[in-house]
Amino acid sequence: REGHVLDVGCGIGGPMRNIARFLNCKVTGLTLNPYQVERGNEICARDPTVSETTKLVQGDFMELPFEKNSFQAAYAIEATCHAPDRVKCYKQVYDCLQPGARFVLYEWCMTDKYDPNNPD
C-alpha cells in the first residue's frame, strides 16, 4: 500500500485503476499506443477514486523511460509475451524496480510439450 507500481503494457488501464483503488497506491501504466494513453488518462481523470493516483504514459517496454529504482512493484497482464526479446524486456523492468521489489506476470505461452492434436 502507498507504493508506486508499474503496469507494463497497460492498454487503457482497467487493471491499474482497480489496483490503485483497492490497494491505495500510485500506479503508472505504460503502453506503446498513443490512443490508449489518451483514452486511459481521460477515464482516470473522470474517476475521483483514482484521478490523483494513476497515469498512463507512452513508451516501449523494450526501452523503459523510467529511472532506476522508481517502483516498488510491477506487473504485466498478457503484454510482455509480445516482446521480441523477453530477457531484455524483463531486464528493463528489473532495472526500474527497487531492491526486493516483485514483478508479477500473467502471460500465455507455448512449450515444447504443446500438442496441436490434443483437444483438451
Side-chain angles (χ1 to χ4, degrees):
R1 296 185 185 264
E2 299 182 14
H4 192 182
V5 178
L6 174 63
D7 182 335
V8 181
C10 65
I12 61 169
M16 71 179 258
R17 286 188 294 279
N18 285 323
I19 288 170
R21 183 180 302 114
F22 295 123
L23 296 181
N24 190 33
C25 64
K26 181 178 177 182
V27 182
T28 297
L30 178 87
T31 181
L32 194 57
N33 186 311
Y35 170 79
Q36 291 176 338
V37 172
E38 182 178 341
R39 181 71 180 125
N41 281 327
E42 287 172 358
I43 295 168
C44 291
R46 288 196 318 254
D47 183 341
T49 65
V50 298
S51 61
E52 299 296 318
T53 57
T54 56
K55 179 181 179 183
L56 285 80
V57 297
Q58 185 180 2
D60 184 348
F61 54 54
M62 298 303 293
E63 296 291 335
L64 289 177
F66 307 111
E67 293 183 24
K68 289 187 182 287
N69 304 322
S70 297
F71 299 95
Q72 286 81 36
Y75 65 91
I77 301 172
E78 296 183 349
T80 61
C81 55
H82 303 289
D85 180 346
R86 286 190 202 112
V87 172
K88 180 180 178 187
C89 175
Y90 298 158
K91 174 79 166 85
Q92 289 285 308
V93 175
Y94 177 82
D95 286 345
C96 72
L97 290 173
Q98 293 179 355
R102 296 188 188 265
F103 179 33
V104 181
L105 302 161
Y106 176 85
E107 302 285 9
W108 58 267
C109 63
M110 190 175 352
T111 71
D112 293 337
K113 295 180 182 181
Y114 173 73
D115 179 358
N117 299 314
N118 183 346
D120 294 329

